[in-house]
């Protein structure tokens, strides 16, 4: 029986929640929210454009960075419609089907981003531990195949979650805890047996983000050991500096994710504001910070941005 049939003639809808303690009429939130999304769009689109147009950036590291930018764009744009609808138009209701679609894209792009971070860890592992074999191992063909596997994994691993959710019966409260639809948040409103759905959701997380984070950790243990074996301090600092941007991307992605997962499962006593802030940090902070960190810490990208700024300044003077 479909969700709409369970509720009579009216279609099933959920009520999304803005920031707890913030009145719905707080339209002043629109400006920082729009600035955040514009910064995300500008930063990631600029990265993609620079990598595409600058042939010196056509290397495995920057191919991985471009895939990360695509995943960041997808993750942010998945939350954009409902976030702006709440804070701009004060519209909190969302049809069940639209909620399932949004949930699917959020979790799918999240799994894709986790896979990209793993691929970038492998890139740094080869670059530092086997520098002479870097060009022969990490070919453009391998990167494209890895990108295909990462995207297919994100698409198909999350698909059963959406299919199972569409079969769930909902009754009682329809109020979600966030400004967008998340799997665990929707699952707590189900009035039937959620064991299969919950078990598969947990298994999907373990097989994607769980294995990815463990492999990234093991990679960096080997990387740190290789860096410490380098004789000169200058060479050690130079080798490790190539990992700083990736480490920042890993931390900004996994720390809010782990915190959100823990609070959903064990933090029932915590305030709603804690859940909201962790979810917003998990979905909004990495897409905004990643292009900024890579632009600041990566010499080639920084030099390319300076050249573009100088060219623009010269054109304006002329």
């Amino acid at each position: 029986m479909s969700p709409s049939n369970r509720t009579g003639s009216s279609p099933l809808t959920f009520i999304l929640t803005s920031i707890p303690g913030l009145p719905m009429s707080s339209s002043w939130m629109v400006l920082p929210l729009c600035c955040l999304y514009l910064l995300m769009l500008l930063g990631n689109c600029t990265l993609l454009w620079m990598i595409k147009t600058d042939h010196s950036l056509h290397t495995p590291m920057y191919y991985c960075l471009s895939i990360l930018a695509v995943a960041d764009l997808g993750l942010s744009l998945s939350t954009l419609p409902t976030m702006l609808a709440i804070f701009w138009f004060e519209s909190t209701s969302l049809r069940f089907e639209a909620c399932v679609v949004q949930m699917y894209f959020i979790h799918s792009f999240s799994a894709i981003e986790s896979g990209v971070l793993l691929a970038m860890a492998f890139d740094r592992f080869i670059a530092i531990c086997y520098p002479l074999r870097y060009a022969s191992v990490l070919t453009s063909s391998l990167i494209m195949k890895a990108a295909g596997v990462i995207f297919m994994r994100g698409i198909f691993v999350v698909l059963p979650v959406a299919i199972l959710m569409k079969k769930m019966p909902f009754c009682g409260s329809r109020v979600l805890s966030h400004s967008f639809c998340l799997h665990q948040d929707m699952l707590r409103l189900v009035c039937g047996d959620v064991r299969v759905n919950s078990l598969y959701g947990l298994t999907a997380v373990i097989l994607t983000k769980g294995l990815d984070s463990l492999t990234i950790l093991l990679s960096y243990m080997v990387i740190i050991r290789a860096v410490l074996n380098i004789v000169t301090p200058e060479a050690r600092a130079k080798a490790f500096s190539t990992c700083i941007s990736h480490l920042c991307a890993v931390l900004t992605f996994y720390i809010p994710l782990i915190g959100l997962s823990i609070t959903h499962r064990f933090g029932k006593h915590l305030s709603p504001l804690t859940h909201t802030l962790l979810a917003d940090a998990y979905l909004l902070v990495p897409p905004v910070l990643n292009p900024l960190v890579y632009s600041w810490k990566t010499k080639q990208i920084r030099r390319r941005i300076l050249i573009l700024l100088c060219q623009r300044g010269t054109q304006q003077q002329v």
Side-chain angles (χ1 to χ4, degrees):
M1 187 180 294
S2 67
S4 58
N5 291 335
R6 291 189 222 111
T7 59
S9 58
S10 61
L12 176 62
T13 59
F14 289 116
I15 304 300
L16 301 174
T17 305
S18 63
I19 299 175
L22 189 71
M24 281 298 302
S25 58
S26 298
S27 56
W28 58 269
M29 275 295 296
V30 175
L31 181 60
L33 191 63
C34 288
C35 290
L36 202 63
Y37 277 107
L38 286 174
L39 187 61
M40 177 276 302
L41 287 169
L42 179 63
N44 287 288
C45 289
T46 301
L47 272 181
L48 288 171
W49 180 78
M50 284 193 300
I51 293 171
K52 180 181 178 181
T53 56
D54 190 342
H55 290 282
S56 66
L57 301 180
H58 291 183
T59 63
M61 174 183 168
Y62 295 105
Y63 286 144
C64 290
L65 181 56
S66 65
I67 301 169
L68 180 66
V70 171
D72 280 337
L73 285 169
L75 193 59
S76 292
L77 293 177
S78 298
T79 63
L80 178 63
T82 52
M83 292 283 280
L84 291 185
I86 288 174
F87 291 105
W88 200 328
F89 302 106
E90 300 181 16
S91 174
T92 59
S93 62
L94 187 66
R95 289 279 296 270
F96 172 77
E97 293 79 7
C99 197
V100 171
V101 170
Q102 185 184 51
M103 178 205 71
Y104 170 75
F105 279 112
I106 287 175
H107 290 291
S108 181
F109 277 111
S110 178
I112 290 170
E113 179 149 354
S114 177
V116 177
L117 291 174
L118 174 60
M120 297 176 83
F122 181 70
D123 171 85
R124 292 299 85 203
F125 168 75
I126 298 296
I128 292 176
C129 298
Y130 303 98
L132 298 180
R133 299 175 59 186
Y134 182 81
S136 61
V137 172
L138 292 178
T139 61
S140 299
S141 174
L142 179 63
I143 295 298
M144 293 301 104
K145 290 177 183 177
V149 171
I150 290 169
F151 273 88
M152 294 301 286
R153 186 189 71 162
I155 291 169
F156 287 108
V157 167
V158 182
L159 189 58
V161 173
I163 294 173
L164 289 170
M165 185 61 71
K166 290 202 69 174
K167 300 179 182 297
M168 292 290 102
F170 292 88
C171 54
S173 175
R174 306 283 167 76
V175 181
L176 296 173
S177 304
H178 306 294
S179 305
F180 32 78
C181 300
L182 297 176
H183 179 243
Q184 285 297 325
D185 199 19
M186 293 179 66
L187 210 58
R188 69 179 179 83
L189 303 182
V190 174
C191 55
D193 188 358
V194 299
R195 285 178 297 181
V196 174
N197 202 316
S198 182
L199 180 61
Y200 181 81
L202 179 61
T203 303
V205 170
I206 292 173
L207 292 178
T208 54
K209 298 160 192 171
L211 285 179
D212 291 348
S213 58
L214 180 61
T215 308
I216 290 171
L217 178 62
L218 293 175
S219 298
Y220 270 98
M221 290 174 63
V222 178
I223 287 172
I224 291 172
R225 187 175 67 178
V227 169
L228 293 177
N229 288 333
I230 299 176
V231 178
T232 63
E234 295 80 7
R236 282 200 299 268
K238 184 178 179 181
F240 193 71
S241 67
T242 63
C243 301
I244 296 298
S245 299
H246 178 253
L247 275 175
C248 290
V250 169
L251 293 176
T252 55
F253 179 79
Y254 280 107
I255 289 178
L257 171 62
I258 293 170
L260 182 63
S261 300
I262 292 174
T263 54
H264 265 307
R265 295 185 182 277
F266 308 109
K268 308 298 182 183
H269 62 284
L270 296 175
S271 67
L273 181 61
T274 303
H275 291 262
T276 300
L277 292 178
L278 282 172
D280 290 346
Y282 160 53
L283 294 174
L284 299 179
V285 172
V288 173
L289 284 186
N290 285 342
L292 296 177
V293 169
Y294 274 95
S295 299
W296 173 50
K297 293 297 296 180
T298 308
K299 183 170 62 176
Q300 292 91 330
I301 295 178
R302 192 167 63 245
R303 184 171 61 241
R304 178 66 172 163
I305 292 174
L306 290 174
I307 291 173
L308 290 174
L309 292 175
C310 291
Q311 289 176 347
R312 185 174 180 179
T314 304
Q315 290 173 356
Q316 289 178 348
Q317 290 178 359
V318 174

